[in-house]
Amino acid sequence: MPFAVYLLGLAVFAQGTSEFMLAGLVPGIAGDLGVSIPAAGLLTSAFAVGMVVGAPLMAVLSLRLSRRFALLAFLCVFLVVHVVGAVTTSYEVLLVTRVVAALANAGFLAVALATAIALAPRDAKARATSVLLGGVTVACVAGVPGGALLGELWGWRSAFWAVALALVPAVVAVLKSVPGPSSAENAAPAGDAPAGDTAGDTAGDTAGDTAPAGGTARGELRALRRPRLLVLLLLGALVNGATFCTFTYLAPLLTEVTGLGSGWMPGMLALFGLGSFAGVTISGRIADARPVPLLVIGGLALAGGWAVLAPAAGAPAAAVVLVFVQGMLSFAVGSTLISQVLYAATGAPTLAGGFATAAVNVGAALGPWLGGVAIGAGLGFRSPVWVSAALVGVALAVAGVAYLVVARRAGNRVEAGLRAGAQ
């Protein structure tokens, strides 16, 4: 795996930390800027909405730019708005910086996914994807407790300064390690081996940055209309919705149902994050060669795990084990789905990354909302876990129907071919 892919993962980590760290900074922001706790909480919602809207939009805007320039531009914008956020005394300005930061983050991730799979060997897209998503999971582990610790020691603004400083080496890394258009203008993009095909082993050494970040917007949008791709995006949204439905309400589940003290929560959140990191790492080693068995077995295990966690949450030992296991399964299945989107999106690498990012964030917004509706209906803190099980169940049903439709069409084509041959 080219070193530049790992450097892109470092940049994703820095940006992901910005998203997750707000969970521990809301009280400090509310007190300092003189707004309510719910108003401060809207900063997180603004970031999520910016990610959903910004992923496809920024991907389209980046198509006429070199990937290297697009990555640098998105990183620099992200850095600047964090400096502005760190010094502002206006809630409205801070809210705007969160939206702009989300747009830049979404654009960076879309282009980074396209760049990583172009730089990686042609049969290692899942592994390249796991490196980038590994940055997100490490941010999940370090972002919440790290941001909370900085906020406690030096105020919430210090966390924004920390993110800005962490992005400086990422900017330098992209400048030094991602090939520019001059080094790849005559190179053909790395081929797209089908999922599970490990015959091709040619690395796309310099294909990561042809002069434009992708083809034309119209051409890439045409490629995105493939039924298989749309199904994969839907599955990604459902699985991620299940993940964040339970993760969002993990603290009240563990304190009110499991009976763990509040002092356990940073460790339990970190445990879920460690499981997530293990999941993307393991799936990255397997998904390129055996994506279907991983998705089928992993999906069934994920649904079963949520269904077991709901009634077993009252037992501390079971809850602790399942928090790690479900984090691992959630991100193993989720990252594999994203890598399969990239395999399926031949001819649309940049927009595929953008729409995959949007689908993941649709799930991240939908899941917590559904969990909140269940709790608000008086169903208790176990109910988000049941919602997670239902969402994965729906994903499995959608995948099953899609498989049957494809099998039926294949059978019809074979039958038509046999009739034509007989005539």
Side-chain angles (χ1 to χ4, degrees):
M1 189 63 58
F3 187 59
V5 176
Y6 293 98
L7 295 175
L8 291 174
L10 172 65
V12 170
F13 160 73
Q15 294 176 84
T17 296
S18 172
E19 178 178 6
F20 291 117
M21 73 182 185
L22 279 190
L25 301 177
V26 166
I29 292 173
D32 187 28
L33 299 183
V35 297
S36 66
I37 292 290
L42 284 177
L43 296 170
T44 300
S45 300
F47 197 98
V49 171
M51 287 289 288
V52 172
V53 175
L57 178 61
M58 293 298 104
V60 169
L61 293 177
S62 70
L63 287 175
R64 294 190 177 277
L65 305 173
S66 75
R67 286 183 181 146
R68 182 187 189 191
F69 181 84
L71 292 171
L72 287 171
F74 288 133
L75 277 179
C76 289
V77 169
F78 199 85
L79 190 158
V80 169
V81 296
H82 276 74
V83 172
V84 173
V87 300
T88 187
T89 57
S90 167
Y91 169 78
E92 290 74 16
V93 171
L94 185 59
L95 183 64
V96 171
T97 67
R98 296 310 291 168
V99 174
V100 175
L103 294 174
N105 187 11
F108 180 88
L109 188 55
V111 179
L113 283 167
T115 304
I117 63 173
L119 290 170
R122 63 181 305 202
D123 59 345
K125 291 183 180 180
R127 187 175 173 191
T129 302
S130 74
V131 172
L132 294 190
L133 295 185
V136 176
T137 60
V138 174
C140 183
V141 175
V144 174
L149 179 61
L150 286 173
E152 188 69 27
L153 293 176
W154 298 301
W156 66 269
R157 298 176 189 277
S158 65
F160 279 70
W161 282 115
V163 170
L165 290 174
L167 286 169
V168 173
V171 171
V172 175
V174 169
L175 192 61
K176 296 287 187 181
S177 301
V178 175
S182 61
S183 65
E185 56 193 5
N186 296 319
D192 284 311
D197 181 1
T198 58
D201 225 3
T202 304
D205 294 327
T206 59
D209 198 69
T210 53
T216 64
R218 183 176 299 177
E220 290 213 5
L221 285 170
R222 278 198 300 268
L224 289 177
R225 291 185 299 196
R226 296 171 185 167
R228 179 191 173 202
L229 187 59
L230 297 176
V231 170
L232 288 169
L233 290 171
L234 175 58
L235 295 179
L238 289 168
V239 169
N240 206 53
T243 302
F244 280 89
C245 180
T246 294
F247 180 72
T248 300
Y249 301 102
L250 193 59
L253 174 73
L254 294 175
T255 54
E256 301 297 326
V257 177
T258 308
L260 297 177
S262 58
W264 281 73
M265 291 311 101
M268 295 301 292
L269 292 171
L271 183 64
F272 186 91
L274 289 171
S276 303
F277 181 74
V280 297
T281 302
I282 293 170
S283 67
R285 302 285 181 177
I286 300 172
D288 285 305
R290 298 178 179 85
V292 174
L294 193 155
L295 289 173
V296 172
I297 297 172
L300 291 171
L302 182 60
W306 291 132
V308 170
L309 176 59
V320 170
V321 171
L322 285 169
V323 163
F324 177 84
V325 170
Q326 291 305 99
M328 179 177 66
L329 290 172
S330 294
F331 277 78
V333 173
S335 64
T336 301
L337 287 170
I338 292 176
S339 70
Q340 290 308 296
V341 167
L342 299 174
Y343 269 118
T346 304
T350 304
L351 286 191
F355 277 87
T357 301
V360 165
N361 282 278
V362 166
L366 177 66
W369 176 73
L370 290 174
V373 169
I375 294 172
L379 300 178
F381 290 119
R382 296 177 195 259
S383 59
V385 188
W386 286 118
V387 173
S388 294
L391 287 172
V392 178
V394 171
L396 290 170
V398 169
V401 170
Y403 175 80
L404 291 176
V405 169
V406 170
R408 183 176 179 180
R409 287 179 177 175
N412 290 340
R413 285 197 296 268
V414 171
E415 184 178 350
L418 292 174
R419 288 177 180 174
Q423 293 173 357

